[in-house]
Amino acid sequence: MLVEKGKISSDSYIYCVDDGSKDFTWGIIERLHSENSLVKGATFVRNYGNQKALIAGLEGVRELGCDCAVSIDADLQQDELAIEKFIDEFQNGYDIVLGVRNNRKTDNFFKKTTAIMFYKLMNILGSKIEMNHSDYRLVSKKALDMMELYHEKSLFLRGFFHELGLKTTTVKFDVKPRFAGQSKFNFISLMGLALNGITSFSIVPLRIIYGLGFIMALFGFLMGLETVLEKIFFNDSPNGVATMIILLCFFGGLQIFCLGVIGEYVGQVYREVKARPRYIVDKKLL
């Protein structure tokens, strides 16, 4: 349809990435490729996760050559008809076009609530991303060339494309009901994605810990000063055993939480220092 309208060239192609699935996905891709060489793809030796699969697809089409690329999930929920609007915006001079869903009517209460919290938390902690934008987007060859300069292993694409500073716009679309199967992207996956995004693009949590440490030190100094003054002037020590236990539990828990945040950053550095490949491709169809 887009070829007939003159929106894209006749040699435009589809590049599928099979993230180490254990069903018949790769067999279907091979069959489609045998029927039409414009269907291309790659499969991993194992599952590497959503972001690695997207990166592999974008790097794959850059190697093959393109003017722009559109990334879309294979669950058929993102409205593929919005791609025409993406291309219109690209032709208007935009390097990045973000697909933003109109609402979250297809989500249950828990998923809707956690998703909203995810976007708000990411923006508060310094990893700026567009509300209700997942990874449905168009990126130009210029953006793909810039992505090649980023060698970090845990690249968070939503934060990365925002950080580039290229001319960006949004296109709204409606999410459709899932055609088949169930999403494997659960709350734990969302938390992992959030931690990766925050530790990849922001040091705000470390600065919050610095501020908390200063406040805790000041609070401890004031508590100690109060105790000394009461002992000197009133010859009495405060009772407050329950209060002290509560404070010890609270600050002990806070310290463990802060160590956990620091540990996430240390872990991020550890993964980068090892310099392991983002993914390993098993087979390619070109």
Side-chain angles (χ1 to χ4, degrees), residues 3 13 75 83 93 109 123 128 166 184 194 216 221-222 227 230 234:
V3 174
Y13 55 89
D75 57 14
I83 293 176
F109 175 78
N123 282 281
K128 303 298 183 183
L166 295 176
K184 297 180 179 64
M216 288 171 63
F221 173 77
L222 293 175
T227 303
E230 288 196 21
F234 301 100

Side-chain angles (χ1 to χ4, degrees), residues 77-79 100-103 172-176:
Q77 287 191 276
Q78 295 163 329
D79 185 10
V100 178
R101 58 193 296 175
N102 283 314
N103 53 62
K172 297 291 185 71
F173 69 94
D174 291 319
V175 174
K176 298 179 291 185

Side-chain angles (χ1 to χ4, degrees), residues 222-247:
L222 293 175
M223 287 289 291
L225 184 62
E226 180 195 9
T227 303
V228 171
L229 290 176
E230 288 196 21
K231 185 67 176 178
I232 293 174
F233 294 103
F234 301 100
N235 196 28
D236 185 29
S237 296
N239 293 322
V241 176
T243 303
M244 291 303 296
I245 292 173
I246 292 171
L247 288 174

Side-chain angles (χ1 to χ4, degrees), residues 58 61 66-71 86 90 94-98 137-144 147 160-161 164 166:
L58 294 174
V61 298
C66 64
D67 295 318
C68 65
V70 176
S71 59
F86 286 12
F90 170 69
Y94 289 96
D95 287 295
I96 300 172
V97 184
L98 306 177
R137 68 174 73 84
L138 177 149
V139 294
S140 67
K141 185 180 184 300
K142 181 179 180 180
L144 293 176
M147 190 178 80
F160 163 74
F161 285 117
L164 287 182
L166 295 176

Side-chain angles (χ1 to χ4, degrees), residues 24-55:
F24 302 105
T25 301
W26 183 244
I28 295 172
I29 295 172
E30 286 182 317
R31 177 175 57 81
L32 293 172
H33 175 73
S34 65
E35 295 172 357
N36 188 339
S37 62
L38 293 178
V39 177
K40 309 176 188 299
T43 182
F44 295 162
V45 295
R46 66 172 178 85
N47 183 281
Y48 286 93
N50 167 269
Q51 292 295 286
K52 305 290 178 63
L54 284 165
I55 292 170

